[in-house]
Amino acid sequence: MNTTILEIKNVRKSFKDKEVLKDVNITVKKGSVYALLGANGAGKSTLLKIVTGLLNCDNGKVTIKNIDVADNPVLAQKLFSFSSQTTTVDGVLTGYENLHLIAKLRQERNPRKVAENLLDKFELTEAKDKAVSTYSGGMRRRLDLAMSLVGSPEIIFLDEPTTGLDPKSRQELWDTIKEMKSQGKTILLTTQYLEEADYLADQIGFLREGEIVANGTPDEMKRLAGADKLLLVFNNHHNTERALKLFEFYYPIKRADCEISIDLDEEIETTLTVLNALTTEKIELKTFKMITPTLDDVFMTLTKG
Amino acid sequence: MNAFQNISDTLTLANRIIKHNLRSIDTLIKVVAMPVMMLLLMVFIFGGAFQIPGVSEDEYINYVLPGILLMTIATGSAYTSLRINLDKTTGMFDRLKSMPIAKSSILGGQVVASVIFMLVSIIVVFIVGFIAGFRSDATFLEWLLLMLLILLFSLALTWISVPFGLAAESIEGASSFSYILLMLLFISSAFVPVEGMPKVVRIFAENQPMTPIIQTLRNLLDSQAVGNDLWISFGWMVLIILISYIFGLKVYRRV
Ligand SMILES: Nc1ncnc2c1ncn2[C@@H]1O[C@H](COP(=O)(O)OP(=O)(O)OP(=O)(O)O)[C@@H](O)[C@H]1O
Ligand SMILES: [Mg+2]
């Protein structure tokens, strides 16, 4: 469980003058889920293309089970599968034909059976003979994921697997990814959502403008991002000042003219105490809400630190 | 990576593209139905209007059939380019390239499918031609030579479409080169003799690759001597295949 299966070492990549990856180092343990978290243009897809042998890097190397991907792409590619950001399924072919095609190319002994089993597992049997162009976004992602499992790869690379999915499909996909992990697969996925990385990953790496600016477990990352906050909005200046004084103990921060925020260490308890105190003191509140740190907040914290 | 797997991957991927062609009504209409309609139109409606010295009205079909055959292949190549472009823009190439397969099978599958599709369309045009009155005196050897020429022409136009399909940013751009091919066909001896053309156009028509190919096909079907046209045709086609192969692979490495 503790052996390294994938190692990305000192990877650099530039397109013309633009430096897209600046010395990226990542180690992924066998059987774990690694989430590469980053905003648009951070370089996530570029890194995955290098790792899967689609693109050469300018410097550094990628090894999968000690096989150098650049030197020995086909040997390394036997060990993994890659779903790109664009959900690459063949719209003209049926779901069955898509899986059958991949199974044949991956030299499965019995491509028909592999296809049927996966259709069943991903609840696509009913639509198996329909052209994939008629599938919903969620079904396409499911098929895409099913295609990634053909040939029983040890590592699965998923580039933004849940972008563009509705909440229900997203949850289903999350469940599938968890199940893959429980079957011993190693998964490296990219995402723009802290919440997703938190839910799925054992390890998170923050990629920002081509650099891994932080990495660790989800808990470590969240601590880095700061606690949840309670935002209080008042009707007037007077009330705002009174509240600031009343909650001195919590080190409130004045965010705007009539807005203050309080860091929540123990969410429910602090919230209840604060709201009770406001009622007792008859300080009228316009509205209040909880703020969870977003990816932006994390980046902000990281750049400040 | 052994040769057997290479061939098997190529055929598997070619089979995928053939399914694409057969399931696209648009492709079937443009590549198969259009040339057939052109042929019938030329023969039964315009045929009488073109007065070609030494060719009777009944024989006009023998005169135009070679041109129609090349036209079929030219429209086919537009779709080859389109399919390649679609695989590039949808990311299908990336999916395939990231798999443990012989990498040459990815383009190879496209090429094989394209040539097969062109040849099948050619057979359809021939059959309709025969029904509409086309007759040939060609010997077995001449037919063989004819088939070789058509195969080479299909291969040449398929390879031309590779760099265009790979380099184009959009589907529209990918197939635009085929208009040039069609234009070359019209400014050749495909439908009317070059003798009647204005001088400048005529010089161009006589020296561009389509004319010797058409002349060779026509003479073979007519069981006449082919002369130098045969070698000029082969020369052109080998040259086209070589140049577009080199360019094609160059662009392929970048996408
Ligand atoms: N082939 C290329 N040529 C030039 N620049 C490129 C190329 N591919 C990517 N880039 C640039 O590299 C940067 C990183 O792109 P990349 O696609 O890796 O980001 P990403 O993190 O995957 O973003 P997104 O969340 O939008 O998918 C971007 O600024 C992009 O414009
Ligand atoms: Mg991306």
Side-chain angles (χ1 to χ4, degrees), chain B residues 130-183:
Chain B
F130 271 112
I131 296 170
F134 164 78
R135 292 295 176 266
S136 166
D137 306 323
T139 64
F140 178 70
L141 211 70
E142 281 162 343
W143 273 109
L144 222 57
L145 208 54
L146 183 103
M147 286 194 297
L148 185 68
L149 216 63
I150 287 178
L151 179 72
L152 215 58
F153 190 73
S154 305
L155 209 56
L157 291 206
T158 294
W159 271 107
I160 287 190
S161 55
V162 170
F164 284 96
L166 287 172
E169 297 295 330
S170 67
I171 302 172
E172 290 79 23
S175 51
S176 57
F177 76 97
S178 71
Y179 292 112
I180 300 173
L181 294 178
L182 289 177
M183 200 199 67

Side-chain angles (χ1 to χ4, degrees), chain B residues 63-207:
Chain B
Y63 186 85
V64 290
L65 192 79
I68 300 284
L69 294 177
L70 297 199
M71 195 173 154
T72 310
I73 296 171
T75 15
S77 75
Y79 282 88
T80 305
S81 179
L82 188 135
R83 300 262 175 273
I84 289 175
N85 190 256
L86 270 177
D87 273 3
K88 179 189 99 165
T89 49
T90 57
M92 201 58 181
F93 275 148
D94 278 354
R95 168 150 233 150
L96 295 174
K97 275 180 173 176
S98 75
M99 285 177 59
I101 58 172
K103 300 299 181 266
S104 62
S105 66
I106 301 171
L107 264 192
Q110 291 273 4
V111 169
V112 170
S114 165
V115 172
I116 291 178
F117 190 57
M118 287 169 177
L119 296 184
V120 171
S121 317
I122 287 291
I123 292 173
V124 174
V125 173
F126 258 121
I127 291 173
V128 175
F130 271 112
I131 296 170
F134 164 78
R135 292 295 176 266
S136 166
D137 306 323
T139 64
F140 178 70
L141 211 70
E142 281 162 343
W143 273 109
L144 222 57
L145 208 54
L146 183 103
M147 286 194 297
L148 185 68
L149 216 63
I150 287 178
L151 179 72
L152 215 58
F153 190 73
S154 305
L155 209 56
L157 291 206
T158 294
W159 271 107
I160 287 190
S161 55
V162 170
F164 284 96
L166 287 172
E169 297 295 330
S170 67
I171 302 172
E172 290 79 23
S175 51
S176 57
F177 76 97
S178 71
Y179 292 112
I180 300 173
L181 294 178
L182 289 177
M183 200 199 67
L184 284 180
L185 265 180
F186 282 105
I187 313 175
S188 77
S189 65
F191 306 111
V192 288
V194 294
E195 281 77 19
M197 297 176 181
K199 188 146 186 255
V200 185
V201 183
R202 181 178 154 183
I203 292 172
F204 175 76
E206 278 172 347
N207 292 293

